Amino acid sequence: MKRLLFVSLSFCCGAGAALAQHGFGTGRLHDEAGDRVLSDDRGIYIHGQDCVSVAVATSDGFYQLRTVSNTATCNGQTWGVRRTLTLAFDTDGPMPPDLDLAPSDSDSSTESVPARFIVWKLFHKKATTTAVSILILTVDLASGGTTQDAAWEFVYQTQAVIVRNPDGSRSVSLTGDDAVVELLQYVPQAGRKVKPVSYGFFNLPFHLTAAPLP
């Protein structure tokens, strides 16, 4: 199996000035039968609402659904308040380590995680496929809040096909064996370097529809 690592790209587009050049939009995860990357039961993710940040770069097609905007107020939100992605793992397969570190979380088969869902060329004029990854944001155990830093990343091993919808939105999905991800943990090293450590491969099908706001 070909392994794709986006280590150098994972932290390029976090917040602040980098997003100031982006248009903003919406994202909806379709909780269809078999999907394992789900919404948090609060409907569509809309930029600027409920501390969500959704960015679209029209120049290179970059798209990011960030469940926790990178502000002090939003990062300070804790479990049950902040928006999340829901990851439902196949209980017949391998179980991942605890991703969100919630003290009351005793079921590792379902994780509600603060995350950045990244699709690299979703709105690019000529792109027909795109790489996809999900960054799991670091949680402060003492406060329960989060930061802009990523502790984990799910890297999809297959590029997703881009579907251009009549209303101008774009859809991407990966199903079945195409939805295999490698789980990487980012471990700080001496000199502030970050080393990715693999925790194995998992199956996380998803279906996302995204659109820039007018």
Side-chain angles (χ1 to χ4, degrees):
M1 180 182 292
K2 185 177 180 181
R3 296 171 66 178
L4 304 177
L5 299 181
F6 302 113
V7 175
S8 63
L9 298 176
S10 299
F11 302 96
C12 72
C13 307
L19 295 188
Q21 301 172 16
H22 293 45
F24 296 108
T26 65
R28 181 185 295 277
L29 286 159
H30 302 267
D31 301 349
E32 298 181 348
D35 286 347
R36 296 189 179 279
V37 181
L38 312 172
S39 72
D40 57 5
D41 296 326
R42 291 163 66 177
I44 195 169
Y45 299 86
I46 301 176
H47 174 71
Q49 294 189 15
D50 296 322
C51 272
V52 167
S53 174
V54 182
V56 178
T58 54
S59 57
D60 58 10
F62 171 86
Y63 171 87
Q64 176 178 259
L65 187 165
R66 185 186 174 106
T67 62
V68 183
S69 297
N70 187 32
T71 65
T73 298
C74 296
N75 285 334
Q77 290 183 333
T78 59
W79 297 282
V81 177
R82 63 171 172 242
R83 296 209 60 178
T84 62
L85 298 184
T86 298
L87 305 178
F89 294 92
D90 184 354
T91 54
D92 294 330
M95 286 292 103
D98 190 9
L99 299 173
D100 60 356
L101 305 177
S104 60
D105 180 17
S106 60
D107 181 7
S108 62
S109 66
T110 302
E111 295 276 5
S112 296
V113 294
R116 292 164 55 192
F117 192 111
I118 295 177
V119 187
W120 295 103
K121 292 190 175 182
L122 185 58
F123 285 91
H124 192 281
K125 290 187 294 185
K126 296 182 179 180
T128 58
T129 61
T130 178
V132 181
S133 62
I134 300 174
L135 296 176
I136 309 302
L137 302 177
T138 299
V139 172
D140 182 343
L141 287 178
S143 67
T146 187
T147 76
Q148 67 172 317
D149 298 325
W152 307 86
E153 181 176 22
F154 288 99
V155 180
Y156 282 91
Q157 304 298 289
T158 301
Q159 293 213 352
V161 175
I162 300 171
V163 176
R164 290 171 167 79
N165 301 315
D167 63 0
S169 65
R170 301 285 191 271
S171 295
V172 289
S173 61
L174 283 169
T175 60
D177 292 339
D178 288 336
V180 172
V181 296
E182 183 176 18
L183 174 59
L184 302 174
Q185 182 181 27
Y186 290 104
V187 180
Q189 305 292 307
R192 302 191 68 180
K193 293 182 179 179
V194 176
K195 177 183 178 181
V197 177
S198 177
Y199 273 75
F201 296 86
F202 303 84
N203 185 258
L204 288 176
F206 74 90
H207 181 184
L208 172 76
T209 295
L213 289 175

